[in-house]
Amino acid sequence: MQTAVHAIYPPRCLVCGGLVESDFGLCGPCWRDTPFTAGLACDLCGAPLPGQSDRAEHCDDCLATPRPWAQGRAPLVYAGNGRRLVLMLKHGDRHDIAATAAGWMARVTRPILREGMLAVPVPLHPRRHLKRRYNQAALLARGMARALGIDWCPDALRRGRHTPSLDGRGREERFATLDAAITAVPRRAGRLAGRRVLLVDDVMTSGATLSAAAAACHAAGATEICVSVLARVTKDH
């Protein structure tokens, strides 16, 4: 049956649509041009760093801005095909990207996994959720939970205040805009209390959204928080 399906609908590259050997993969040229993080990376956000080290290192952004989480990972840099994949997932209704992307995220996140960790997606405001019809962070969290064999809670957090797009805004404005915008859902607070939480989102720029979500988890009693994003914005891109 699978052979017949592939004969009618051959596997296509997630980025360019060219033929590939297996479902939900990248062709050779697109794989080569996708900026996967490799080597030394910031232990708090996953941004690639130069050189080598046998201890945890932090990027300039994370040194300048205290993070309310313990560790963070990102398999992609938000540039080139990394940016295209995020935008296709976020705005292009490309749910098929989520499973593959979640696998990449699970691979780099597994080393920082804690026992009993709960995957929690960063929420959308209901108005934006209704317009988009889905939360891309929830799709990624679900895929990661399956790949890592951990629990997840898609509605642990809520964004009670509608916030404008953060595109083009500076660091201070981003943090001010998101301040107290995210809270724990009262009926789900018991799932956060006393738990280690893995916050999941599609992209990290300044970290303002993840900080607001982490603060909500801490307020609900979470004991430790790590973050995992599909792509990290860096100063070079």
Side-chain angles (χ1 to χ4, degrees):
M1 178 64 72
Q2 191 72 19
T3 301
V5 170
H6 281 178
I8 301 173
Y9 303 105
R12 298 282 180 175
C13 173
L14 290 174
V15 175
C16 72
L19 294 174
V20 292
E21 293 184 0
S22 60
D23 290 321
F24 313 120
L26 298 177
C27 66
C30 285
W31 181 274
R32 183 190 63 234
D33 295 337
T34 300
F36 288 97
T37 56
L40 184 63
C42 175
D43 193 50
L44 283 170
C45 72
L49 296 173
Q52 297 179 343
S53 178
D54 57 1
R55 63 191 180 112
E57 301 288 350
H58 298 151
C59 67
D60 290 344
D61 282 350
C62 290
L63 288 172
T65 305
R67 305 298 189 188
W69 59 80
Q71 290 179 287
R73 295 292 185 268
L76 300 176
V77 172
Y78 188 71
N81 283 344
R83 183 175 183 272
R84 293 187 189 95
L85 285 163
V86 169
L87 293 180
M88 287 190 292
L89 171 63
K90 191 170 186 173
H91 301 297
D93 209 22
R94 289 287 305 277
H95 294 212
D96 56 311
I97 292 172
T100 299
W104 297 336
M105 294 167 69
R107 176 179 55 80
V108 298
T109 303
R110 190 178 298 278
I112 66 170
L113 201 65
R114 271 66 160 166
E115 184 178 357
M117 195 163 243
L118 178 73
V120 172
V122 169
L124 291 175
H125 185 271
R127 188 187 309 173
R128 190 161 292 163
H129 200 157
L130 182 64
K131 180 179 180 181
R132 194 174 295 169
R133 305 189 310 280
Y134 63 97
N135 178 3
Q136 70 280 358
L139 298 180
L140 294 171
R142 180 179 63 185
M144 287 191 70
R146 289 175 176 172
L148 295 171
I150 62 176
D151 292 336
W152 78 298
C153 186
D155 56 351
L157 302 177
R158 67 182 177 190
R159 195 178 298 224
R161 188 176 79 244
H162 181 68
T163 55
S165 171
L166 300 179
D167 291 345
R169 298 175 186 268
R171 177 185 300 276
E172 292 185 4
E173 190 175 3
R174 284 172 175 264
F175 276 85
T177 299
L178 269 298
D179 184 42
I182 298 175
T183 57
V185 175
R187 71 177 186 278
R188 300 299 190 197
R191 296 200 64 184
L192 296 173
R195 295 288 294 270
R196 296 180 173 98
V197 171
L198 178 66
L199 278 176
V200 179
D201 206 359
D202 57 343
V203 62
M204 175 181 170
T205 304
S206 67
T209 302
L210 287 164
S211 291
C217 291
H218 280 306
T223 60
E224 187 180 26
I225 296 169
C226 292
V227 303
S228 182
V229 297
L230 174 56
R232 174 68 163 106
V233 175
T234 63
K235 291 181 178 179
D236 296 334
H237 300 91

